[in-house]
Amino acid sequence: TQLLEQSPQFLSIQEGENLTVYCNSSSVFSSLQWYRQEPGEGPVLLVTVVTGGEVKKLKRLTFQFGDARKDSSLHITAAQPGDTGLYLCAGINQAGTALIFGKGTTLSVSS
Amino acid sequence: EAQVTQNPRYLITVTGKKLTVTCSQNMNHEYMSWYRQDPGLGLRQIYYSMNVEVTDKGDVPEGYKVSRKEKRNFPLILESPSPNQTSLYFCASSFGAPGYEQYFGPGTRLTVT
C-alpha cells in the first residue's frame, strides 16, 4: 500500500520564521503535488514536482523532490500570516487512477 | 470563471434518508472524483470517473453511489446515510488522469444524525 507521511502534523510559528514540511514514502512516485487548503475551501494546487532532485520556487516557498522520488519537502522563508493553512502532499497511485494524499500539516502563523 | 461547484454546502439529515450531493465543472474535464475528509484520516477517495459512463471505486466506496451521465456532472448518492458518513466531502476534476492539477469544489459538510 502506498502511503505518504507528512511531518510535522501541526506547526505554530511567529511571523518571519522559516519552516520546513516533509512528505515521505517508502514507495516511488512519478510525481508529487503540493496543495494548500484554507478553512471552508477546497485544496488548491501549489506545485507539481516531477524529476528526482528537482527544486521549484514559488515566491517564498521552495519545493524539493528527493533524488529517489520517494520524498519531498516544502520550505517557507519568512512566514507570513497569509501562509496559514493546511498543506497537503499528494502522489498518483500505482494504477494511475487516483491521488493519494498525506494527512497534511496544519500551519499557523501569528503576527 | 473556471470552477467546480457543489450543492448543498451544508446538510444535516437523519439516518436512512436518501440524499444526493451534486457536483458540476465547467472546464470540460474528463476526470472527476469524490473525496471525504476526516480529522486524523485526511482526504480519501470515494469514487472516480475517467470519462462519461466510466466510474470506479476508490478507497472508501461503501455506502456511496455515483453516476456520470454527462461530462460536466458527477453526483454523489447516499442511498441510506449512516452517522459514520458524517464528513466533509469534496468533488474534484482534472483535464486527464490524476497527475494533472486537481480542481476542487468548495466542499459539502454533511451531518447524519
Side-chain angles (χ1 to χ4, degrees):
Chain A
T1 302
Q2 293 173 287
L3 289 174
L4 285 167
E5 297 186 5
Q6 287 187 241
S7 62
Q9 189 176 355
F10 299 99
L11 201 49
S12 182
I13 61 173
Q14 295 288 318
E15 182 176 3
E17 292 185 36
N18 301 331
L19 67 113
T20 302
V21 176
Y22 299 94
C23 175
N24 295 303
S25 178
S26 58
S27 304
V28 174
F29 285 89
S30 57
S31 65
L32 282 179
Q33 299 176 347
W34 284 91
Y35 290 81
R36 182 169 72 195
Q37 183 180 9
E38 299 186 24
E41 298 180 11
V44 176
L45 181 70
L46 294 173
V47 77
T48 301
V49 286
V50 178
T51 306
E54 181 177 7
V55 176
K56 280 191 173 179
K57 292 192 175 183
L58 190 65
K59 297 182 181 178
R60 294 176 293 100
L61 279 61
T62 301
F63 303 86
Q64 189 162 4
F65 199 14
D67 291 340
R69 292 185 287 129
K70 292 183 177 181
D71 57 88
S72 182
S73 64
L74 158 60
H75 182 80
I76 301 179
T77 303
Q80 299 177 359
D83 296 326
T84 293
L86 175 66
Y87 289 82
L88 298 159
C89 65
I92 309 169
N93 66 359
Q94 288 179 341
T97 57
L99 278 181
I100 298 169
F101 282 86
K103 293 181 180 179
T105 294
T106 299
L107 172 65
S108 175
V109 183
S110 53
S111 56
Chain B
E1 179 190 356
Q3 60 182 353
V4 177
T5 57
Q6 292 179 230
N7 283 293
R9 292 290 312 276
Y10 303 91
L11 181 60
I12 300 174
T13 189
V14 296
T15 300
K17 186 176 181 181
K18 182 179 177 180
L19 67 93
T20 299
V21 183
T22 64
C23 172
S24 183
Q25 50 93 4
N26 63 0
M27 295 167 280
N28 202 35
H29 284 169
E30 294 194 346
Y31 181 90
M32 297 186 73
S33 62
W34 276 101
Y35 293 87
R36 59 179 290 174
Q37 187 173 38
D38 302 288
L41 296 177
L43 277 161
R44 295 178 292 166
Q45 191 186 56
I46 303 170
Y47 268 94
Y48 67 93
S49 169
M50 288 289 195
N51 211 328
V52 176
E53 301 291 1
V54 181
T55 64
D56 209 342
K57 297 176 181 178
D59 293 325
V60 288
E62 294 77 22
Y64 305 94
K65 286 176 57 177
V66 293
S67 68
R68 186 93 181 272
K69 292 183 170 54
E70 305 167 284
K71 199 171 188 179
R72 63 184 294 128
N73 297 323
F74 191 44
L76 179 68
I77 302 158
L78 285 71
E79 297 256 355
S80 184
S82 61
N84 65 10
Q85 293 178 298
T86 292
S87 187
L88 180 58
Y89 291 87
F90 288 100
C91 179
S93 73
S94 63
F95 175 72
Y100 289 90
E101 176 178 1
Q102 296 293 303
Y103 290 81
F104 284 83
T108 295
R109 184 165 293 281
L110 172 66
T111 302
V112 183
T113 61

